[in-house]
Every structure is written in structure tokens, then in C-alpha cells.
Amino acid sequence: LDSHFFSDESCKKVLKEHFKVGSLSGLGLDDYPTGVIAAGAVMEYMYETQKSTLEHITTITPYSTGQYMVIDTSTRRNLELVETMREKQKRGTLLWVLDKTKTAMGARLLRNYIEQPLIHKNEILRRQDAVEELNMNYISREEICEYLNPVYDLERLIGRISYKTANPRDLLAFKTSLEMLPYIKKLLGEFQSDLLKELESELDPLEDIYELIGKAIVDDPPITIREGGMIREGYDEEADRLRHAKTEGKTWLGELENREKEKTGIKNLKVKFNKVFGYYFEVTNSFKDMVPDYFVRKQTLTNAERFTTDELKQLEDVIMGAEEKLVSLEYDLFCQVRDSIAAQVVRIQKTAKAIAGIDVFCSLSSVATRRNYVKPSINEKGVIQIKNGRHPVVEQMMRDDLFVANDTFLDNGKNRLSIITGPNMAGKSTYMRQTALIVLMAQLGSFVPAQEANIGICDRIFTRVGASDDLASGQSTFMVEMTEVAEILKNATAKSLVVLDEIGRGTSTFDGMSIARAVVEHIADPAKGLGCKTLFATHYHELTELEGGVDGVKNYNIAVKKRGEDITFLRRIVRGPADDSYGIEVAKLAGLPGSVTRRAHEVLRALEATAPKNKVEQMDFDALQEYNSPAVPSEMMDKLEALDVETLTPIEALNFLYELKKTLKGSLNR
């Protein structure tokens, strides 16, 4: 857009004029200077493209990150909240699991809830109470869902009505939706929780609009508004009179035809109509001689002639005029009805919002009862305790197997950071993501897939799960991974939940291990680093030594049953480090040829025999400090001590420097 769209003054002006206020403080926008420019530019763009007054835009609300949990793009992608990572589909996402909404408005609101979980305990509890009460009143909830089924997208419809693009069928859809509102309101009146009572009071049944559409629009109107046939009889006197003239005209024409037949004695005289000549009498050639003088010839055909008379002309004017006038009048009447509905935009939007809210809570409630979810306790102490938690999506995708539930315990003290080891495919990523999703579900006010859950409110959730090259921006796998880790280390706070899956695997073993260890130490240390709750999956078994060495670190692994060279994943999280990575066994499960896996076992045994048991375990990490600052040989220190710089000549200084360099070189070569 041109720069004038973004000027401070024009943006303020357009917002003040649209919302009819004297100053922006009336809209609560004083503290949002950049927000005002963004909103003003959008409004001006819409005025320019829509060429209408945009009356259906009635409120403006500042979005403040302080009200919601912050979820960055990579976390949305990794947790597959609203679209899957690979196919970009809805199936297989958290939204897919929770979305049992009946209306388009409800589906949009639920998506918002998932993308903006709450961080204020009271708000979360209000939503939980609403879901719980709907669970308890199963029959009323199902009845509400039945009434929600025929409700169209009121928000979109009122947009079309305001833009003057709605046709008669849109109004009929609107009427069908409004018919359900009194029943929904009545059922909501039975509930006691604050949020449902609030929604009930905001739901306006809009009976006046329902009656207006019922009186004005016929039951089966045409799609277009320029052809007539859409206004119901009895709504407008003038329209009825014209409609009467149109239908009566047919009778008048019949009577005229009979009269002329008798007068002239022409048996096959017919009154006909076409768009070019209008109405005319048609006489076949065999009766041509019997045509009277007052018949005026209009057209000659091969076997017939066409005539008109003064009386027929007058009738034609009345009938044709009535039809045109009726079409034009019906259009005007339809526009009046549409405009009077558009004038009620605020009421309709409030009702649409209430319907969306009811739909979302009914959806969350029916998922909770169907999937056996529990109501989580919410605490502000930072404790996350889940008993027999399940992954909401994976358990639904598994048709034949039973999902293995697992416990999680994280706090801000001795259980800050869990290091999870175990083979690939055993379920580390599923376990870590399920914890993040359970926390997120609890904070959007939903019930959670677990036997019991006590969730400490998190201000942000960060995930770093498997990266791929970002070739478009010229970044390798390792670069993408490190960028995401840097982002987490910069932005996480002690109240955040961090999920890290295999840090440092994109580079050489020692580099990767060093980075992973440094990241763990930084995250686990509340004094110098972050001190936030973290799940850290790794194949570097050397990191399991950190338990006991670094405060707050605990080891867990995924249990595996091994029989010879075959393994079975038990998918249970147990305390302690894993004893092996089982990489070759997993490769065998993936279908690698037997010759390749047998050769891999031979190479592995050879490596284990020749290499020290574990290079990294033998490293003394305190000795690394000395590696960073190598000691100076003692003889050099003695010489330096004995040197009197005050009396040194330039040539002596150069000679001394030469000797010093020789000594240092010799000691380094040794």
C-alpha cells in the first residue's frame, strides 16, 4: 500500500470517524501507537476496496500478550495444533480431536482458544466449570447440540447483509438460524455456572428480525434479487395490487379471446405472446377472409397472420406495466428489509458470539465425556503432575493397539529438568509432546486425557523437535536447530515449559554433546540460567551423569524388552538412564536388509572392542578449564620474575623475547 495509508494522523482520523469517538482513549488505544497505525491502515484499505460504510465492524479490541500464553510458530508446528507438519491437514491435530462444534462460528472460536491459551487462573476455572456442568447435564447438552445443527454462520451472514450482497436465500438461512435461538436460550437458563449464565444473558433471540423475514420473504425465493418473486403476499398493498393485475390479466385475456371468437366467428382465434411483439391475435390463413376491419395487421407468417386491437393494446400496457413495476417494487422492498436487519448489527453480533461460545463448550464437553478426560487442578506454584497421561491425538489415531499411559512430574525445585533416554521409535517424542499438549489443553479450559492432573500455569511453551534443512533461506539442519535453541534460551522464563528433542545431533558427536551439556546446565540453573521446567530427550547417554551433579536434573528412560537381537518397546517411562540406544535393532524394524544389520552388528562389536569404553565418560570436565587456559612453563616464569624492565636496552629486550619464544615452543612440543 502507499505510504499515506500508514500515516499517524490519517490512521487516527479513520478510526475516530468509524467508531464515532472524539479521542482514541475512548477506545482504550492510547498505549498502542503501532497498533493504531496497523488498524487504521486496514480500515482505510477496506473502505477503499469494499466501497461501503463497514457498519458491521462495531468494536476494536487490543490484543495483549499479557492475557494469553505465547506460542511461537515452531511450537505450533511441532505440537501440530491446527495443521499437521507434513500434509498440512486438520486430521491428526489437536483441533481435529477437540472440534465437535456444530457451527462455523464455533469452529473459528475453538481454533482461537487453542492458539491463545489463558494464563489467568480464574478465567481457566470459569471455562472448566462450564465444561463440567455441561458434562453433568448430558441430555440438555445433546439437545443444545441438536438446535445448533441448523444454525448458519451468523457472523458471515451479517457481513453480507451489511455489505448489501445478501440475496433472499441468505435471509431465509438467517431466519432458519434465528428459529433455533429461543430453544437454546431456554435450555441455557437451566445452567448455573458463571460463564454459561453470561452466555445466556448475551443471547438475544432476535424474534423481531425472525418475524420480519417471515412476513416479507417467500419460502422458496429465487437466488437473484432483480427478477421478483421473493416478497410474500400480504406484506405490501401496492405489491399485492400489481401481483393481482398480473394474475387477473391472464383472465382478462381469456375473456377477450372468447368475445372476439363469438364476434368474428373465427373458431381457432388465439391470443398469444412473444417478447418482440408482446400480445397479439393469431389467425390461420383459412380464416383470413373473416378478419374484421378493426384488427390491425402486425406480422404475416407462412400459414397465419398476427393482428392487434386497441383493447388488446390497453390490456397489454396494464399487464406488462404491472410486471415491471412489481419487479422494481419487490427489489425496493427487499432492500428495505435487508437494511433494517443491517441496522441491528450490534445485537446480531453479540448473539453470534454467544452462540459460538456455547458451541465451543458443548464441543469440549462432548469430547471430554467421549474420550474419558478428567478435570485438571490448576496451581500457580509451578508444579506439573500428571498421572497416566495420554497423547490426545495418538490415542485416537491408534485403531488396534492400546495406548500406554505415562506419568509426568516436574516442579521448580529438584525435578526441574528430566533427561529422557532410550531408543528411537520407543515413544520419547510422543511422551514429551503429550505433556506439552496436556498443559496447553488445561490452560485453554478443556479437560485433559489423564487419570489425574495438577497443572502449574506456564507463560510459554517452547518445543524443539526434529528439524529439516531450510534451503529457501540457506540454512542447514544444524543451523535451523541452533537458531531455534537460541530463541528458546533468549525468551524462556522460570515459568515456561521447554521440550527439547535431541539437541546437537546435526553436528559431530563431541560438538553436539558439548552443546547439549551446556544447554542443559544453562536451563537447569535458576541463578545464572533459566531454571524452567524442561523435558530433554537425548541419545548422548553421557549426559545422564548430570543427575546428582547439576541441581534439579533427573534421569528417565523408555523401557525396552530385549530377546537376543530382537527388541520390544514397552513405551513406559521409568526412572534412571537407558542402557543402550538399540539403533541397529530399530533399523531392522524399519526394514533394512538383514545383510546390512548383521554387518552393522559386526562393525559395532569391533568398535566396542578397540575403542576405550567411553571417551566422553573418561573426560574430566573440570580439566577442561585447564585446556581453555594452558599453564605457562615454570622456567619462563622464573626468567620473567628476574627481569628488570627499567634497565633493559632495546637490543637486550629483543634477544630476551627471542629466547622466551624458543623456550615456549619447546615446552609446547614436549
Side-chain angles (χ1 to χ4, degrees), residues 536-595:
F536 191 102
T538 184
H539 280 296
Y540 299 133
H541 291 208
E542 298 74 21
L543 294 183
T544 55
E545 284 182 14
L546 292 172
E547 182 176 332
V550 175
D551 209 25
V553 174
K554 291 279 184 287
N555 284 327
Y556 291 89
N557 74 83
I558 309 258
V560 171
K561 194 175 180 181
K562 189 169 183 184
R563 287 186 302 277
E565 286 186 0
D566 290 332
I567 56 167
T568 309
F569 302 131
L570 301 179
R571 314 227 184 262
R572 288 291 296 178
I573 296 278
V574 290
R575 276 287 277 124
D579 54 351
D580 202 347
S581 265
Y582 304 106
I584 299 171
E585 287 81 353
V586 173
K588 190 175 169 186
L589 285 178
L592 239 62
S595 56

Side-chain angles (χ1 to χ4, degrees), residues 31-32 61 64 68 79 92 98 103 124 155 165 237 247 267 314 356 395 422 485 539 580 636 643 656 668:
D31 306 333
Y32 300 95
T61 318
S64 133
Y68 306 105
L79 292 181
L98 296 181
T103 69
I124 297 170
E155 289 171 340
T165 57
E237 275 181 31
T247 49
K267 288 178 189 157
Q314 283 169 0
E395 74 164 348
V485 173
H539 280 296
D580 202 347
M636 278 173 63
L643 188 69
F656 182 73
L668 283 175

Side-chain angles (χ1 to χ4, degrees), residues 397-411:
M397 295 295 253
M398 286 169 70
R399 286 280 169 263
D400 313 321
D401 298 345
L402 201 64
F403 188 88
V404 179
N406 276 302
D407 300 348
T408 306
F409 184 75
L410 292 167
D411 61 18

Side-chain angles (χ1 to χ4, degrees), residues 73 108 115 129 288 354 414 519 575 615-616 668:
T73 319
R108 281 198 297 274
E115 291 183 327
D129 291 345
K288 207 159 61 170
K414 292 182 178 171
V519 167
R575 276 287 277 124
K615 278 186 186 173
V616 180
L668 283 175

Side-chain angles (χ1 to χ4, degrees), residues 468-481 483:
S468 54
D469 296 358
D470 185 356
L471 297 179
S473 57
Q475 293 191 327
S476 69
T477 308
F478 183 64
M479 187 62 180
V480 172
E481 188 182 349
T483 310

Side-chain angles (χ1 to χ4, degrees), residues 397-542:
M397 295 295 253
M398 286 169 70
R399 286 280 169 263
D400 313 321
D401 298 345
L402 201 64
F403 188 88
V404 179
N406 276 302
D407 300 348
T408 306
F409 184 75
L410 292 167
D411 61 18
N412 290 337
K414 292 182 178 171
N415 296 281
R416 255 196 307 275
L417 192 143
S418 300
I419 290 183
I420 303 159
T421 44
N424 285 318
M425 284 294 299
K428 298 193 297 291
S429 295
T430 301
Y431 169 70
M432 297 196 303
R433 289 183 199 189
Q434 107 189 5
T435 304
L437 284 172
I438 287 173
V439 169
L440 190 136
M441 285 168 75
Q443 287 190 226
L444 70 87
S446 166
F447 281 27
V448 298
Q451 193 180 326
E452 277 175 41
N454 186 8
I455 306 294
I457 292 176
C458 299
D459 62 352
R460 293 187 73 148
I461 292 178
F462 292 95
T463 60
R464 216 312 317 121
V465 179
S468 54
D469 296 358
D470 185 356
L471 297 179
S473 57
Q475 293 191 327
S476 69
T477 308
F478 183 64
M479 187 62 180
V480 172
E481 188 182 349
M482 289 301 104
T483 310
E484 288 186 8
V485 173
E487 199 65 28
I488 293 172
L489 299 184
K490 264 191 233 128
N491 296 312
T493 69
K495 285 184 177 176
S496 303
L497 172 66
V498 176
V499 172
L500 294 170
D501 198 354
E502 299 188 34
I503 294 293
R505 66 180 174 178
T507 184
S508 73
T509 311
F510 285 166
D511 279 2
M513 203 181 305
S514 315
I515 291 169
R517 183 186 172 110
V519 167
V520 169
E521 287 173 353
H522 180 77
I523 288 176
D525 185 351
K528 295 180 191 163
L530 301 172
C532 56
K533 292 177 283 294
T534 307
L535 295 168
F536 191 102
T538 184
H539 280 296
Y540 299 133
H541 291 208
E542 298 74 21

